[in-house]
């Protein structure tokens, strides 16, 4: 398959078709395809208005992100950060890239940064950036720690500084909640006391994580908690773009998904057991023909 043919298949507007052969060919021709993938990401990062959730360019951008992450392509780091730093603060700003921000952005950032934390920290520390993007940037540090690329003492020191800064400013934004979740992932022992104070003053969203979650991890012990983290694919590099994408529900329209009772709040749907996870851009389970995000996700 030629480079032109690969790119044509990747820029499809059929979100039910998984271009396996094109992705396989791209991986086999990594050196030749990389400049083209960088061009896609750079062009969209400079002109984010070029894509929306129904535009074939958004799929080309999506596949480029995962391939460049698998390639550990450092040149992709600045434009990727630039694109996601421009998203608006409202949740609808995530629509153009589907579930990437909430599912894999942390892995993408960690895979392409080559140990350079500067741009990741810029995302974290800028309160004008979408809170989900900031959360993903925080989780990217957990990925780097889990991949033995970031020393524990440096991560603990940075998390401690962020928590204390937010506490002193009495900010109850979602960054503190994401911080608590990240601390829990890496075993919260060194930060237990400061987290307890944040819970006391209700600065953490206890729907996402509460004191009992932290205490459960403490009882588990550091060794067991870190062993569990090692086996969590959400906190590992992207090493195979195909296996990380092929399971998406949009590529399996005939397979059943969990149908939540009408009495369950929509925000809890992702926590329910599913055979195939229902993403924001997947057809809604109710049969309306609309995408989940435009139907029962906000119902």
């Amino acid at each position: 398959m030629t480079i032109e043919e690969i790119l044509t298949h990747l820029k499809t507007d059929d979100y039910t078709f998984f271009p396996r052969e094109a992705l396989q060919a791209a991986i086999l021709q990594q050196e030749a395809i990389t400049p083209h993938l960088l061009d896609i990401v750079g062009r969209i990062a400079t002109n984010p208005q070029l894509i929306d959730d129904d535009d074939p360019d958004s799929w080309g951008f999506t596949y480029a992100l995962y391939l460049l992450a698998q390639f550990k392509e450092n040149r992709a780091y600045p434009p990727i950060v630039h694109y996601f730093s421009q998203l608006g603060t409202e949740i609808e700003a995530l629509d153009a890239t589907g579930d990437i921000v909430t599912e894999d952005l942390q892995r993408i950032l960690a895979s392409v940064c080559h140990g350079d934390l500067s741009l990741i920290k810029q995302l974290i520390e800028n309160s004008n950036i979408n809170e989900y993007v900031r959360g993903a940037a925080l989780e990217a540090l957990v990925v780097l720690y889990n991949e033995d690329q970031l020393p524990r003492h440096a991560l603990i020191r940075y998390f401690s500084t962020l928590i204390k800064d937010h506490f002193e400013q009495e900010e109850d934004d979602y960054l503190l909640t994401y911080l608590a979740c990240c601390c829990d992932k890496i075993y919260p022992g060194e930060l237990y006391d400061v987290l307890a104070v944040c819970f006391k003053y209700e600065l953490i969203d206890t729907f996402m994580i509460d004191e009992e979650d932290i205490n459960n991890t403490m009882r588990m012990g550091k060794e067991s908690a870190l062993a569990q983290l090692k086996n969590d694919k959400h906190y590992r590099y992207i090493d195979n773009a195909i296996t990380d994408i092929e399971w998406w529900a949009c590529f399996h329209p005939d397979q059943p998904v969990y149908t939540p009772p009408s009495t369950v709040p929509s925000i809890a749907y992702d926590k329910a057991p599913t055979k195939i996870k229902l993403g924001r851009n997947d057809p809604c389970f109710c049969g309306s023909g609309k995408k989940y995000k435009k139907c029962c996700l906000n119902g």
Side-chain angles (χ1 to χ4, degrees):
M1 190 177 290
T2 68
I3 297 298
E4 290 73 19
E5 289 171 335
I6 293 171
L7 294 173
T8 297
H9 281 85
L10 296 184
K11 293 181 180 181
T12 178
D13 59 357
D14 181 359
Y15 66 85
T16 66
F17 170 72
F18 180 60
R20 181 184 302 276
E21 291 184 6
L23 290 169
Q24 291 172 333
I27 292 167
L28 290 174
Q29 300 180 64
Q30 175 179 338
E31 185 175 352
I33 197 72
T34 293
H36 297 276
L37 300 177
L38 288 169
D39 179 67
I40 292 171
V41 173
R43 181 170 56 86
I44 298 302
T46 304
N47 301 284
Q49 70 277 7
L50 290 178
I51 65 170
D52 60 38
D53 59 321
D54 295 312
D55 193 305
D57 266 354
S58 67
W59 281 104
F61 182 63
T62 295
Y63 295 130
L65 291 177
Y66 280 85
L67 287 169
L68 291 168
Q70 176 178 333
F71 299 162
K72 307 299 183 289
E73 179 52 66
N74 183 243
R75 288 174 292 177
Y77 185 33
I80 289 173
V81 170
H82 182 56
Y83 173 80
F84 286 101
S85 69
Q86 298 176 82
L87 297 185
T89 56
E90 66 283 353
I91 192 170
E92 289 77 15
L94 307 182
D95 286 353
T97 51
D99 295 329
I100 289 178
V101 171
T102 53
E103 289 290 330
D104 285 328
L105 181 56
Q106 76 280 7
R107 303 174 65 212
I108 292 169
L109 291 171
S111 295
V112 300
C113 77
H114 285 225
D116 176 7
L117 307 184
S118 60
L119 299 182
I120 291 175
K121 288 184 175 180
Q122 285 181 25
L123 292 176
I124 294 169
E125 296 168 16
N126 187 343
S127 61
N128 294 317
I129 287 176
N130 185 284
E131 64 186 28
Y132 293 97
V133 173
R134 297 176 76 195
L138 270 174
E139 291 185 306
L141 300 182
V142 177
V143 176
L144 291 168
Y145 169 70
N146 203 31
E147 294 283 358
D148 301 317
Q149 300 301 306
L150 180 59
R152 183 175 183 85
H153 67 86
L155 183 58
I156 293 295
R157 183 171 61 247
Y158 183 60
F159 280 0
S160 177
T161 299
L162 288 174
I163 293 171
K164 289 177 180 177
D165 286 349
H166 275 66
F167 178 77
E168 289 171 359
Q169 297 165 21
E170 296 185 348
E171 292 187 44
D172 60 350
D173 67 15
Y174 260 65
L175 193 70
L176 270 176
T177 300
Y178 279 112
L179 274 164
C181 292
C182 288
C183 291
D184 187 58
K185 285 291 181 183
I186 65 170
Y187 182 75
E190 299 95 324
L191 297 167
Y192 181 83
D193 290 342
V194 69
L195 287 173
V197 174
C198 292
F199 281 115
K200 178 181 177 180
Y201 286 92
E202 300 181 345
L203 298 177
I204 294 173
D205 183 351
T206 54
F207 180 85
M208 297 288 292
I209 186 169
D210 58 27
E211 288 182 273
E212 186 59 24
D213 295 320
I214 298 292
N215 289 331
N216 284 339
T217 304
M218 293 290 288
R219 286 190 287 268
M220 182 189 302
K222 185 176 180 180
E223 184 176 344
S224 295
L226 295 183
Q228 182 173 287
L229 178 62
K230 280 292 183 185
N231 293 322
D232 190 339
K233 71 178 289 289
H234 290 96
Y235 296 95
R236 303 306 301 258
Y237 286 150
I238 288 178
D239 292 321
N240 189 322
I242 292 174
T243 57
D244 278 320
I245 298 173
E246 65 181 352
W247 63 273
W248 290 358
C250 59
F251 302 128
H252 305 273
D254 297 327
Q255 295 200 30
V257 298
Y258 175 78
T259 304
S262 59
T263 56
V264 177
S266 61
I267 196 168
Y269 289 178
D270 283 352
K271 296 187 176 183
T274 64
K275 293 185 178 180
I276 298 288
K277 183 180 182 298
L278 194 66
R280 292 160 53 78
N281 279 331
D282 296 322
C284 191
F285 58 80
C286 73
S288 67
K290 299 179 181 179
K291 293 184 180 181
Y292 178 44
K293 70 186 177 190
K294 294 181 178 178
C295 193
C296 292
L297 174 62
N298 297 309

